Structure formats: structure tokens, C-alpha cells
């Protein structure tokens, strides 16, 4: 367990939870800030002498100090924090907690009422709660100055998608996520993982600057592993695995970490779509539901739609139970090369190609791992740990990459060629 003493608003002797300091197994963190004398006084407190670990957080902004706390918790594989502070301190720290931590971490607050403070170090404190916007700005400014990890931001682009659209598939380099399986350009925050909202938002900002859609909003599908399609402009469903639109000013994105991020574009009608296709969504027809929505709602023709499939798990690394694999055999026998195995390999990429072609998308209008005349955009995520995140390879605390697409405004410059890389230290 970790104990955080908020010495900027009180001291350990005034807290109702001060008895925790007698537990020698706990790791103690002293949040000091500008009141350095409180840090010195607390360090001399005999109740801290028996602790195996005392960490002093006394430099930089509150955002930087709490970010250092998080990094140390992750290094120690700790997730429970007991916080000794005042009521005003709890209000402030809770704001930073929301931005810099996820539900993986448990914060229990022991609150000292300021009218019951008896220690001379704490009497007369006149702390005020910073406005919420100031905390947001402080966290954002701190994260923006962090150096990029694993090199610069790099994206893959399909030469099949015309220049009237901006698009790309992210890789894992150039972000600020430091946990190994999430490092570094993780683009999705989950309550079950350790990458918080503010870090993911900074990663998305860096991707947007690199790709050329900053500050256009990035909209990700709300994954349900099904085949629901949201047509922007209509009421938004609670969950969906695909989006289509003819609107400018928004970037559609389908995420994946083995599942397929698929981009759809009709250069004739200027309509776009983005989908997330896992094995369940593939069987339910999310890819064909997307092109159907483009045809039904915007008058597209199947033969005009081009499709680019991003980095995803290959048949080399993906297996299912026999009963589940049998459903892919019904799409095409080649989707399961070893049907007699206890855990047959399954080619969900091929399954999506077959289904799209059956619907009327031209074979040459699908850019996936079978396309050899164009630069590749569909490498196996599991086989390439330096470049991509993978649930199959990394387990439950995995990172996420995205495929993104938008309709360029009239006169908007073309995106940088796929071979170029933007410098992304901390713009």
C-alpha cells in the first residue's frame, strides 16, 4: 500500500489516519510543493523512521509531482493509495486524480477538517482551490513538454485512398505512454488499464499534429464487437463499431490492437467511413454494413468505394476454438488453413475481403495484406512488437492504434507522404 501525505495543506500529525504511518510495510509519499519547511519537519517525524521507503515529491507543478507518484506506483506495482489531506486538498487532488489515473487505482481519502487543526505548522494555512480549468491546463502543459518515446510519430498511408482525403494508420512510436505494453503512442484510455485520459489525449494531439488534422476532433467508434453503424447527423447509438459521414470538420477513427481498423472512402460522392472489425464483428458483417450505409444514406456505388485495412493480427498468430473457426470456413474454406487442429488458425483479413467482394466492392479497391503492388499497410500486429500493439501478444494491459480518415476542406494541402516522419518531441 502507498500513503500520500499532502503536506501542502496539512501535516502527518494532524491527520485522523496518522496511525497508518506506523505500518512499516507501506510506501510513504510526501507531497510538499512550495512549503518546503513542512517537508523538513515531516521528514524529522519519528513516525517515518521505520518505513522502508519514503518518497519526497517537492519539485515542479502539482501535475508533475503527481505524475512522478504514478510512475513510482507503476514501478512498484501498487494501485491502492491512502491520502491524508484536508477537505480542500481532497477537492484539488481529486481533479488531478481524474486526469492522471484510472479506475485501476484506488484513492482513499482521510480528511482533516481545517477547524480542527492543532499543529502550528498547519494553522493559518490559506490555501484555495484552483479553478478546474487551471488544473486541466497545467496537466496539458506538463505532458506536452515530455519527450517522445520510441522515436518520432510515424503513420502508414494507403496509396489507394485519393488525396482529397486525409488518412493514416498509427504505429506505437512518438507518444508519452511509458508502461511497456502501452508505450508509447497508446490512443485509447480504459478504466481497466493504467494509461489515464490526459496521457491518451496528449498522444492523440501529437498524432493530429503529425498527420495534419490538428485541431479537428478525432472521433473513435464506441466498440461493441457487433455491426452497428452510426451515420453522423442521426441520433448517436450507445455503441457502434462503424461510422460514416459526408461531413468535413471531423476525423473518423477505428481502433484496434489485433482487430482490424478499416477505412472506407468514396471519391465520387466524397463520403467516408471507419470501422473496427474483430472476429465477432467480422462474422456479423460490420464491413459490409458500412458500405451498405454509404450506399443507402449517401447514394454511393459499391464499385466506387475503396477500402484500406490497417495493421491487424495475421492468420499466422490468430486462433479460435473449432466451433468458432467453423463459421469462418462457411465464408471461405481458405479462411481456416488447419481446420482439424484443436485451435485452428483463422484469417479474419481474408474473411473481410471475401465479404466485401461479395457485396460489390472491386477486388482491386481493397488494400490489405494480399496487395503486393502497393506499400504495405496491413502488417501483423502480433509479429511486430516494435511497431504495433497487440492484445494477443501483450495480454490485458495492451495499447491501441487507430486508422483515421477525414474529408479535406477545399484547398487543404495534401498530407505528408508515408515515408516522412514529423518531429514530435513536445511541440
Amino acid at each position: 500500500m502507498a500513503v500520500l501525505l499532502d503536506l501542502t495543506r496539512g501535516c502527518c500529525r494532524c491527520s485522523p489516519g496518522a496511525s497508518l504511518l506506523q505500518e512499516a510495510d507501506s510506501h510513504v509519499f510526501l507531497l510538499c510543493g512550495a512549503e518546503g519547511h513542512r517537508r523538513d519537519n515531516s521528514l524529522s517525524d519519528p513516525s517515518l523512521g521505520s518505513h522502508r521507503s519514503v518518497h519526497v515529491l517537492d519539485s515542479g507543478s502539482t501535475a508533475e509531482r503527481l505524475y512522478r507518484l504514478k510512475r513510482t506506483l507503476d514501478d512498484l506495482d501498487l494501485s491502492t493509495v491512502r491520502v491524508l489531506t484536508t477537505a480542500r486538498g481532497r477537492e484539488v487532488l481529486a481533479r488531478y486524480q481524474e486526469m492522471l489515473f484510472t479506475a485501476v487505482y484506488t484513492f482513499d481519502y482521510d480528511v482533516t477538517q481545517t477547524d480542527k487543526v492543532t499543529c502550528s505548522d498547519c494553522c493559518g494555512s490559506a490555501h484555495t482551490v484552483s479553478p478546474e480549468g487551471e488544473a486541466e491546463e497545467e496537466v496539458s502543459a506538463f505532458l506536452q513538454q515530455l519527450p517522445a518515446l520510441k522515436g518520432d510519430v510515424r503513420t502508414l498511408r494507403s496509396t489507394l485512398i485519393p488525396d482529397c482525403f486525409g488518412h493514416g494508420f498509427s504505429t506505437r512510436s512518438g507518444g508519452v505512454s511509458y508502461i511497456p505494453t502501452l508505450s508509447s503512442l497508446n490512443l485509447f484510455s480504459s478504466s481497466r488499464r493504467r494509461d489515464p485520459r490526459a496521457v491518451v489525449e496528449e498522444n492523440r494531439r501529437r498524432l493530429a499534429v503529425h498527420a495534419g488534422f490538428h485541431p479537428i476532433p478525432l472521433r473513435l467508434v464506441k466498440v461493441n464487437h457487433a455491426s452497428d453503424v452510426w451515420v453522423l447527423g442521426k441520433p448517436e447509438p450507445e455503441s457502434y463499431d462503424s461510422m460514416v459521414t459526408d461531413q468535413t470538420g471531423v476525423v473518423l477513427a477505428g481502433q484496434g490492437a489485433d482487430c482490424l481498423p478499416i477505412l472506407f472512402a468514396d471519391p465520387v460522392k466524397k463520403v467516408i467511413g471507419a470501422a473496427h472489425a474483430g472476429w465477432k464483428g467480422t462474422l456479423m458483417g460490420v464491413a459490409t454494413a458500412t458500405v451498405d450505409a454509404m450506399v443507402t444514406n449517401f447514394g454511393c456505388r459499391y464499385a466506387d468505394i475503396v477500402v484500406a485495412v490497417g495493421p491487424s493480427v495475421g492468420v499466422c498468430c490468430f486462433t479460435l476454438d473449432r466451433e468458432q473457426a467453423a463459421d469462418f470456413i462457411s465464408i471461405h474454406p481458405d479462411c481456416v488453413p488447419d481446420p482439424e487442429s484443436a485451435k485452428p488458425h483463422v484469417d479474419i483479413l481474408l474473411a473481410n475481403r471475401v465479404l466485401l467482394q461479395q457485396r460489390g466492392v472491386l477486388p482491386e479497391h481493397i488494400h490489405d495484406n494480399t496487395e503486393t503492388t502497393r506499400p504495405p499497410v496491413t502488417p501483423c500486429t502480433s509479429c511486430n512488437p516494435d511497431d504495433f500493439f497487440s492484445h494477443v501478444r501483450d495480454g490485458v494491459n495492451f495499447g491501441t492504434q487507430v486508422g483515421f480518415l477525414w474529408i479535406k476542406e477545399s484547398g487543404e494541402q495534401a498530407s505528408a507522404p508515408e515515408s516522412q516522419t514529423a518531429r514530435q518531441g513536445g511541440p
Side-chain angles (χ1 to χ4, degrees), residues 15-31:
S15 170
S19 60
L20 290 170
L21 298 179
Q22 306 303 321
E23 300 179 13
D25 287 340
S26 62
H27 293 263
V28 176
F29 294 83
L30 307 181
L31 183 62

Side-chain angles (χ1 to χ4, degrees), residues 370-388:
T370 66
E371 175 61 67
T372 59
T373 62
R374 299 178 183 275
V377 293
T378 321
C380 174
T381 47
S382 181
C383 286
N384 294 276
D386 291 338
D387 295 321
F388 304 107

Side-chain angles (χ1 to χ4, degrees), residues 43-277:
L43 282 174
S44 63
D45 194 303
S47 63
L48 296 177
S50 61
H51 283 271
R52 61 178 180 179
S53 180
V54 177
H55 310 264
V56 179
L57 307 172
D58 64 348
S59 62
S61 63
T62 301
E64 180 177 353
R65 296 196 296 273
L66 293 178
Y67 192 74
R68 287 170 51 203
L69 165 67
K70 181 183 182 301
R71 293 203 65 152
T72 306
L73 293 177
D74 292 334
D75 289 341
L76 297 171
D77 196 26
L78 297 175
S79 58
T80 300
V81 184
R82 199 70 174 269
V83 184
L84 313 185
T85 186
T86 63
R88 287 177 293 181
R90 177 175 61 182
E91 186 176 347
V92 173
L93 294 176
R95 292 176 183 170
Y96 290 93
Q97 177 190 338
E98 181 184 0
M99 290 181 282
L100 293 173
F101 297 85
T102 70
V104 169
Y105 306 84
T106 301
F107 282 72
D108 295 322
Y109 289 88
D110 280 315
V111 175
T112 302
Q113 299 301 321
T114 53
D115 59 355
K116 296 182 179 180
V117 168
T118 58
C119 174
S120 59
D121 277 342
C122 301
C123 291
S125 177
H127 292 284
T128 59
V129 179
S130 301
E132 185 173 356
E134 289 186 12
E136 292 268 2
E137 292 176 4
E138 181 189 305
V139 170
S140 178
F142 167 69
L143 293 175
Q144 285 188 33
Q145 57 82 39
L146 291 178
L149 302 176
K150 293 185 177 291
D152 298 321
V153 174
R154 185 173 63 89
T155 57
L156 305 180
R157 298 175 67 246
S158 170
T159 55
L160 184 61
I161 297 181
D163 281 341
C164 58
F165 305 103
H167 82 284
F169 297 100
S170 68
T171 64
R172 68 180 301 173
S173 63
V176 297
S177 302
Y178 59 82
I179 294 172
T181 56
L182 302 173
S183 178
S184 66
L185 195 71
N186 174 41
L187 297 171
F188 185 73
S189 179
S190 166
S191 61
R192 299 185 297 273
R193 305 178 214 166
R194 287 180 174 258
D195 228 5
R197 172 174 62 88
V199 168
V200 169
E201 287 178 352
E202 171 59 15
N203 288 341
R204 292 181 183 179
R205 187 195 67 84
R206 295 188 182 208
L207 173 66
V209 170
H210 166 81
F213 63 84
H214 181 75
I216 305 174
L218 178 70
R219 184 181 291 276
L220 274 67
V221 296
K222 295 183 178 180
V223 173
N224 192 37
H225 301 287
S227 58
D228 295 323
V229 181
W230 178 34
V231 181
L232 272 70
K234 295 185 177 182
E236 183 178 2
E238 184 176 340
S239 61
Y240 46 90
D241 285 82
S242 177
M243 297 177 287
V244 296
T245 190
D246 63 352
Q247 301 174 12
T248 58
V250 62
V251 182
L252 306 187
Q255 60 265 47
D258 295 329
C259 297
L260 284 60
I262 310 179
L263 304 179
F264 305 80
D266 179 352
V268 178
K269 294 290 186 178
K270 294 290 182 67
V271 177
I272 58 174
H276 160 274

Side-chain angles (χ1 to χ4, degrees), residues 395-415:
V396 295
N397 199 37
F398 60 94
T400 300
Q401 51 257 337
V402 303
F404 56 91
L405 178 67
W406 77 97
I407 303 169
K408 290 183 178 178
E409 300 277 4
S410 178
E412 186 177 346
Q413 293 184 352
S415 299

